[in-house]
């Protein structure tokens, strides 16, 4: 009996193997290569739902799912439904790589939307490059990356700083205190910031990094009291942002004379620190929740309706949302039998749409996105007041701090 | 001059937070010998209790301190009854069990309250700064310093000057002999665990207006608490007081003259070196074994 069952299992397994490898060419155009079988387009959704960065990545997952549901409810892409395969990489870069491999190889997704931290993006990058698949990365990041397998829809340093830094120097002064969390993103942002400050004749009085997750800023605050800088340029991330603002406020420092200028403080962090600690400080980003445009009202309403009235949208969840719509626009141009990561990449080049922040465009050369940088000042009610928007959309230049390097469609070039 | 005072106050403030977090751990470990890896999660639960009482019932932080202590003591009591009491004298098993309880607590909070960072309001009268000897400091930080010292004093009095404390010390010295004199050791252990958990909950509630509240916040605190207890000596309350003072001032000054990353590394290095030459910590209680 036992033996019979075992041989039965063996036979089934053998049959399965044959059907997988035995006749590779019959259905390949539709099922294996094109990966759009049965009127379905499979995409991966790879944001941490547990672990340290789940706090923020949950909202990216929600924005992505919302966009997919909207597209499906409106009839899908040329009649095909998008099927999201959601994985939880648990805030761990190694798990990111493992789940990415699963999404690409066994689920045969044509694209994966995912990642918040640079560490997780760097971890999955080899998977997407080796399998020649596409990764859609919604986060603002440090730039200095050039891959034909990643679509970058968040801001790079030049898009957050080109307007922001001169504006701050003009309004507050030339003594700058740079503080960030101790990893690559703050260091690259500060690199670019120092370059801009040097051009403007401003002075960096200190540049300092605190451990990731650090929450005790009293010594930093004493240094601020001693140095009295005009601007505190902050690239501290995550819950450290909350601790820094709350302790700054509790120590009685005044944002009117020594404001924090942040690239990383969004509505999300502000909700956790309370309006009183956030009021008066500045953030530069292409998107704020209060941005007044029909597309943004629609996005915010839909998000709240789907996920709860107390939820906020922010400058990483907005690209998470619009990049799915860009994906749709690109796939729409393709025949159902021709949907592959390669064809999607070619189709998305130069693709434009009116996103909640304004009209965005994928730069064909480096697959980054043309965006609309804005300067917001946080108010006591926890929302930002937008003081300034750049006069026109800004080109993404991922190697702006490195003038002898340029990212092109053929890869990184030395100039 | 004012910078020196500021820096001294900063060190004291860091020390007071360290001591708040470590006190519960020291009490539990010192008496029951249980290495409670869920301690950080008790701190986290205390912070969430403050958040829940504030958002659900509109209670201010000061008013909710006593309820939080009672809630967390009840949680500690339950954990002791359901899990720890079955594992005494099995050191490795208690480590694993308390770690598991910590993981479960994190995920339970994530399911119940969501993963986003939470906001606990600072009590209005304390949300300004005060001037001492020409240096300004946060009133709330001074308040934490005061509460930490008060809790230490209370714990000290219980330990040294009550009947309960006498039984505690007797059990700590020799459980078998103490039991043979009619002391109910398991009851004492249960109360100790509840008290330690209550202290941890208070710590969480008190730091929540200065820091952020998230399901993972406990992980950092448990490391800090262990540093304090290991440095101070595991069975000495005075050791806990002294070592949080030393660690607070040390990390404050190192961070001021270099930065927080280097300060953290140097403090850990100093502890490693000290433990190499004095494994029992700075202070030791004389215990017959």
């Amino acid at each position: 009996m036992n033996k019979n069952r075992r041989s039965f299992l063996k036979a089934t397994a053998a049959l399965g193997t044959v059907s997988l490898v035995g006749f590779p060419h019959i259905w390949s155009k539709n099922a294996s290569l094109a990966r759009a079988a049965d009127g379905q387009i499979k995409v991966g959704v790879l944001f941490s739902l547990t672990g340290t960065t789940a706090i923020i990545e949950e909202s990216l997952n929600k924005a992505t799912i919302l966009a997919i549901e909207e597209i499906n409810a409106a009839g899908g892409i040329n009649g095909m439904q998008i099927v999201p395969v959601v994985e939880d990489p648990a805030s761990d870069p190694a798990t990111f790589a493992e789940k990415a491999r699963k999404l690409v190889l066994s689920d045969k997704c044509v694209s994966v939307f995912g990642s918040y931290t640079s560490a997780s993006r760097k971890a999955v990058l080899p998977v997407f490059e080796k399998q020649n698949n596409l990764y859609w990365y919604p986060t603002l990041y440090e730039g200095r990356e050039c891959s034909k397998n990643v679509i970058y829809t968040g801001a790079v340093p030049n898009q957050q700083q080109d307007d922001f830094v001169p504006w701050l120097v003009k309004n507050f002064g030339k003594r700058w205190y740079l503080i960030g969390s101790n990893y690559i993103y703050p260091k690259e942002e500060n690199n670019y910031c120092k370059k801009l400050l040097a051009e403007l004749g401003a002075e960096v009085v200190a540049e300092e990094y605190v451990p990731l997750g650090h929450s005790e800023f009293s010594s930093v605050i004493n240094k601020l009291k001693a140095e009295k800088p005009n601007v505190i340029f902050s690239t501290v991330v995550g819950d450290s942002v909350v601790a820094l603002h709350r302790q700054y406020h509790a120590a009685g420092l005044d944002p009117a004379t020594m404001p924090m200028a942040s690239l990383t403080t969004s509505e999300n962090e502000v909700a956790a620190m309370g309006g009183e600690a956030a009021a008066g400080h500045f953030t530069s980003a292409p998107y704020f929740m209060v941005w007044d445009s029909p597309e943004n009202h629609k996005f915010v309403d839909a998000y709240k309706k789907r996920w709860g009235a107390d939820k906020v949208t922010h400058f990483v969840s907005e690209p998470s949302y619009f990049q799915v719509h860009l994906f749709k626009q690109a796939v729409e141009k393709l025949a159902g039998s021709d949907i592959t990561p390669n064809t999607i990449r070619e189709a998305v080049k130069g693709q434009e749409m009116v996103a909640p922040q304004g009209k965005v465009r994928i730069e064909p050369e480096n697959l980054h996105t043309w965006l609309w940088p804005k300067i917001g000042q946080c108010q006591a009610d926890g929302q930002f007041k937008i003081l300034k928007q750049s006069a026109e959309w800004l080109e993404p230049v991922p190697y702006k701090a490195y003038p002898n390097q340029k990212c092109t469609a053929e890869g990184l070039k030395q100039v | 001059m004012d910078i020196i005072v500021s820096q001294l106050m900063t060190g004291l403030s860091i020390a007071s937070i360290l001591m708040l977090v470590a006190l519960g751990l020291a009490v539990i470990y010192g008496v029951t010998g249980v290495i409670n890896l869920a301690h950080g999660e008790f701190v986290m639960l205390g912070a969430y209790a403050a958040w829940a009482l504030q958002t659900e019932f509109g209670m201010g932080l000061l008013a909710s301190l006593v309820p939080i202590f009672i809630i967390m003591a009840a949680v500690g009591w339950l954990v002791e009854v359901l899990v720890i009491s079955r594992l005494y004298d099995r050191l490795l098993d208690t480590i694993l069990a308390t770690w598991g309880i910590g993981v479960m607590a994190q995920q339970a909070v994530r399911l119940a309250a969501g993963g986003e960072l939470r906001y606990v309001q600072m009590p209005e009268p304390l949300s300004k700064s005060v001037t001492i000897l020409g240096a300004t400091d946060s009133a709330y930080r001074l308040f934490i310093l005061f509460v930490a010292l008060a809790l230490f004093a209370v714990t000290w009095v219980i330990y040294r000057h009550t009947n309960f404390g006498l039984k505690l010390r007797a059990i700590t010295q020799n459980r078998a002999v103490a039991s043979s004199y009619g002391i109910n050791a398991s009851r004492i252990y249960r109360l100790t665990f509840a008290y330690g958990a209550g202290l941890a909950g208070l710590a969480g509630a008190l730091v929540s207006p200065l820091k952020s509240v998230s399901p993972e916040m406990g992980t950092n605190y448990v490391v800090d608490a262990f540093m304090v207890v290991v440095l101070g000596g595991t069975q000495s309350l005075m050791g806990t007081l002294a070592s949080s003072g030393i660690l607070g001032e040390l990390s404050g000054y190192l961070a001021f003259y270099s930065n927080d990353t280097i300060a953290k590394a140097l403090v850990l290095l100093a502890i490693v070196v000290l433990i190499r030459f004095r494994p029992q910590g700075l202070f030791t209680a004389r215990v017959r074994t």
Side-chain angles (χ1 to χ4, degrees), chain A residues 34-270:
Chain A
R35 299 172 172 187
D38 313 326
Q40 290 187 338
I41 300 167
K42 267 198 193 174
V43 297
V45 180
L46 193 59
F47 295 106
S48 304
L49 304 174
T50 55
T52 47
T53 52
I55 292 159
I56 197 107
E57 292 190 43
E58 254 180 348
S59 65
L60 312 186
N61 172 282
K62 289 187 165 116
T64 307
I65 297 294
L66 172 67
I68 292 175
E69 286 175 355
E70 280 180 1
I71 293 167
N72 284 341
I77 306 178
N78 294 333
M80 290 175 288
Q81 294 280 298
I82 305 179
V83 180
V85 185
V86 178
E87 289 290 343
D88 175 16
S91 309
D92 169 43
T95 315
F96 261 95
E98 177 196 324
K99 298 288 184 190
R101 221 169 281 128
K102 173 193 172 274
L103 288 170
V104 171
L105 291 175
S106 84
D107 294 323
K108 306 219 175 300
C109 295
V110 287
S111 276
V112 177
F113 305 97
S115 276
Y116 174 63
T117 63
S118 290
S120 68
R121 186 192 68 254
K122 295 272 188 209
V124 301
L125 200 57
V127 178
F128 287 89
E129 295 194 326
K130 189 162 174 227
Q131 304 301 330
N132 195 18
N133 208 295
L134 266 191
Y135 199 51
W136 299 65
Y137 180 61
T139 317
L140 56 114
Y141 85 112
E142 65 278 3
R144 215 181 174 187
E145 198 172 280
C146 188
S147 169
K148 65 180 175 54
N149 297 96
V150 183
I151 313 284
Y152 306 84
T153 52
V156 285
N158 77 301
Q159 290 173 312
Q160 278 190 292
Q161 295 193 35
D162 277 0
D163 286 358
F164 197 33
V165 172
W167 184 84
L168 287 163
V169 167
K170 195 176 121 216
N171 286 290
F172 292 97
K174 294 189 166 180
R175 290 171 47 79
W176 283 49
Y177 195 107
L178 312 186
I179 178 160
S181 294
N182 195 12
Y183 75 111
I184 182 168
Y185 168 74
K187 291 187 174 173
E188 287 290 334
E189 289 285 359
N190 283 344
N191 254 349
Y192 187 58
C193 181
K194 284 186 285 187
K195 201 167 152 2
L196 289 177
L197 289 177
E199 286 165 15
L200 293 161
E203 174 198 6
V204 176
V205 295
E207 177 181 358
E208 115 162 67
Y209 299 94
V210 298
L212 274 170
H214 192 64
S215 67
E216 182 54 74
F217 285 94
S218 40
S219 291
V220 168
I221 284 166
N222 283 339
K223 284 189 247 184
L224 293 174
K225 284 180 188 164
E227 287 285 357
K228 296 191 177 53
N230 300 128
V231 176
I232 303 160
F233 189 71
S234 160
T235 41
V236 165
V237 300
D239 36 4
S240 302
V241 174
V242 177
L244 175 59
H245 276 81
R246 296 202 82 165
Q247 291 168 29
Y248 175 104
H249 179 69
L253 298 181
D254 184 10
T257 53
M258 200 197 291
M260 283 196 261
S262 171
L263 303 181
T264 48
T265 309
S266 74
E267 287 83 353
N268 233 337
E269 285 82 11
V270 171

Side-chain angles (χ1 to χ4, degrees), chain A residues 51 54-55 58 182 208-209 213-216 218-220 222-223 225 239 246-247 250 271-274 276 311, chain B residues 6-7 10 14 110 115-117 119-120 136 138 141 208-212 216 220 252 255-256 258-261:
Chain A
I55 292 159
E58 254 180 348
N182 195 12
E208 115 162 67
Y209 299 94
H214 192 64
S215 67
E216 182 54 74
S218 40
S219 291
V220 168
N222 283 339
K223 284 189 247 184
K225 284 180 188 164
D239 36 4
R246 296 202 82 165
Q247 291 168 29
M273 70 181 75
E276 74 277 359
K311 295 284 186 275
Chain B
S6 291
Q7 204 43 46
T10 291
I14 300 176
R110 177 178 291 286
E116 51 261 71
L117 297 169
Y119 168 67
V120 176
T136 50
S138 149
R141 281 187 181 273
S208 60
L210 278 180
K211 306 196 172 184
S212 59
E216 287 81 21
N220 282 330
F256 187 75
S258 58
N259 63 55
D260 282 285
T261 309

